[in-house]
Amino acid sequence: MKWNKYTIETTTAAEDYMSAMLAELGIEGVEIEDNVPLSAADQAQMFIDFLPELPPDDGVSRVSFYLEDNGGDDTELLKQVKAALEELRGIVDVGSGVITSDRTEDLDWINNWKKFFRAFSIDDIVIKPTWEEWNEEEGKILIEIDPGVSFGTGKHETTQLCIRQLLKYIRGNAEYTPEEHHPKVLDVGCGSGILSIVALKLGASAVVGTDLDPDCMTSTRENMEVNRLRPELGSFYVGNLIDDTALQETVGTGVYDIVVANILADVIIPMAPVIPARLKEGGYFITSGIIDFKEQAVREAIEAAGLTVVEVNHQGEWVNITARKGFGAEPIQ
C-alpha cells in the first residue's frame, strides 16, 4: 500500500493545537519531530538502552500525517488543513505553516529489521537469531535470541562490554579467577534477557531480572525457553529498582555475587546508591550503557555509593565500569 505523506513546518508551541486541528478534520495518527528534551517521565516510558543526543531545541517542529494513495485527490482536504492553519494563527504561533509532501510505502516494520541481525561471536559465545540456521561448533556456547518487542540482540557495544565482563567475572581468565564459579546474578533492565541467559550459560546458579517494560518479561521468558534453560533458574519482575522499596525487598538484600546493568548513564547515577545493598560482600557491579562523556559522572556516583571501581573498558564511544563491594576491592587499573 502506498501513502502520501504531508509535513507541516510549525513550532513546538503549536504541536498540540496542530494535532487537535488535524483530528477534527478526520486525520488520525500524526508524527511529530522536534528537538525538545525528554522529561524524566517520558524517559521512564521508553524501553531502550540509550537515547540519542539531540541538537539544541530551536523551537521548530514538523508535524506529519499520512493519507492513503488510492488514486484520489487530496486537494480539498489540504485546502481545509491550510484554512484551519490560518485560524490557528490567531491563537498560537504556528511558524511558517509550509506544507511539503512525500510518498511512502507501507512496510513490514515489525520484521524488516531482522535482515540486519545475523549470528556473531563474542570470544567463544555465539549469539544468533532464532530464525537463522547454525552448524554447531565444538567449544562454542550458543545463545539464541528473538528480541521480540524488547531491546537486546547483543550486537550493541554496551551489551558486548557487559558480556565480556560476565565472561571474566563468572568464568574467569588468565588474569582473574572468581571466588564463586556459580554466582547468583541480578540483571537490572533485562530487556530481551540476553545478559541473564549469558550468565546462566556461563554457570550462574540463578538470575533475577527487573525491567520497567512488562513486554520484557515475555521476551525474557520466551528466550529462556528457546535456550532450554529451566524456568526456575530465573525470576523476573516489573518495576523501578531506584525507588520501588517493595521491589528492592523482593529481589533481596546481600544475596548477589554480581549485579549487571546495561542501561543509561542517567539511570545508573540515581540507581547507584541502592546497588551495594543488593550485593554480597566482595560482589561485583558490572555496568554499561555509558556514553564516554558521562564516564566520570557515573564513576563518581558509583564511588559515592561506597563501591570501588576495579575496571574501566571502552568500546567505541561506550564505556563499561566494573566496581566491587567491600573487602579486597582494590582498583586493578
Side-chain angles (χ1 to χ4, degrees):
M1 183 181 296
K2 296 185 182 297
W3 300 83
N4 291 320
K5 177 183 179 181
Y6 297 98
T7 300
I8 306 169
E9 184 173 297
T10 183
T11 67
T12 54
E15 288 173 349
D16 290 341
Y17 294 94
M18 202 73 64
S19 299
M21 176 268 287
L22 292 171
E24 288 178 2
L25 294 175
I27 299 170
E28 298 180 355
V30 300
E31 177 183 283
I32 298 175
E33 300 173 81
D34 59 34
N35 293 328
V36 177
L38 293 170
S39 67
D42 290 332
Q43 291 186 36
Q45 297 302 314
M46 298 184 70
F47 310 115
I48 58 177
D49 280 24
F50 59 95
L51 294 172
E53 294 294 325
L54 296 174
D57 176 23
D58 55 6
V60 175
S61 176
R62 286 156 292 280
V63 177
S64 301
F65 59 94
Y66 296 80
L67 300 178
E68 185 179 343
D69 184 1
N70 54 13
D73 190 349
D74 298 332
T75 302
E76 186 57 39
L77 182 55
L78 291 174
K79 284 182 179 179
Q80 295 177 46
V81 171
K82 291 176 181 178
L85 269 172
E86 292 309 310
E87 290 182 14
L88 281 180
R89 287 189 187 279
I91 302 172
V92 65
D93 177 11
V94 299
S96 70
V98 171
I99 302 177
T100 56
S101 63
D102 195 5
R103 204 175 187 213
T104 186
E105 293 188 54
D106 197 8
L107 301 175
D108 185 2
W109 298 110
I110 293 177
N111 293 304
N112 277 6
W113 65 272
K114 290 183 177 181
K115 64 186 177 184
F116 300 106
F117 181 17
R118 294 286 183 266
F120 65 100
S121 299
I122 302 175
D123 293 338
D124 56 0
I125 294 178
V126 174
I127 299 174
K128 80 169 191 69
T130 54
W131 55 88
E132 184 175 303
E133 295 295 325
W134 182 70
N135 295 321
E136 187 172 346
E137 298 179 41
E138 186 175 352
K140 296 289 187 179
I141 300 172
L142 175 63
I143 294 174
E144 298 186 87
I145 291 292
D146 185 346
V149 294
S150 61
F151 179 91
T153 65
K155 297 205 76 170
H156 195 268
E157 291 94 333
T158 63
T159 315
Q160 293 187 34
L161 283 164
C162 284
I163 289 174
R164 288 192 173 91
Q165 291 303 94
L166 288 173
L167 275 162
K168 176 176 181 178
Y169 287 94
I170 294 179
R171 188 179 61 186
N173 58 25
E175 292 78 37
Y176 171 78
T177 301
E179 297 173 8
E180 173 56 75
H181 289 272
H182 302 287
K184 186 171 184 179
V185 176
L186 173 62
D187 181 3
V188 184
C190 57
S192 65
I194 186 167
L195 295 180
S196 292
I197 291 167
V198 167
L200 289 170
K201 289 273 189 171
L202 291 174
S205 61
V207 296
V208 173
T210 69
D211 204 289
L212 297 175
D213 185 358
D215 287 331
C216 291
M217 304 299 104
T218 301
S219 295
T220 296
R221 291 190 180 96
E222 289 176 349
N223 284 319
M224 288 268 292
E225 183 177 354
V226 165
N227 285 277
R228 295 170 290 283
L229 293 168
R230 301 194 314 275
E232 61 268 24
L233 292 176
S235 301
F236 303 95
Y237 305 98
V238 177
N240 189 340
L241 197 66
I242 294 173
D243 54 14
D244 188 337
T245 55
L247 179 62
Q248 293 170 10
E249 292 175 4
T250 298
V251 300
T253 300
V255 294
Y256 297 99
D257 302 282
I258 295 173
V259 175
V260 60
N262 182 29
I263 46 183
L264 297 170
D266 289 342
V267 177
I268 297 169
I269 290 170
M271 186 177 68
V274 306
I275 297 301
R278 314 278 77 79
L279 285 167
K280 292 179 181 177
E281 193 74 8
Y284 290 92
F285 180 35
I286 297 170
T287 185
S288 190
I290 306 163
I291 194 73
D292 50 15
F293 61 82
K294 293 190 176 181
E295 174 185 335
Q296 188 58 31
V298 174
R299 179 174 188 140
E300 289 173 359
I302 289 173
E303 291 175 336
L307 301 177
T308 299
V309 173
V310 296
E311 206 172 334
V312 177
N313 298 288
H314 298 81
Q315 187 171 339
E317 60 186 355
W318 299 98
V319 183
N320 149 253
I321 297 176
T322 299
R324 195 180 192 199
K325 175 182 176 179
F327 64 82
E330 296 181 2
I332 61 176
Q333 72 172 58

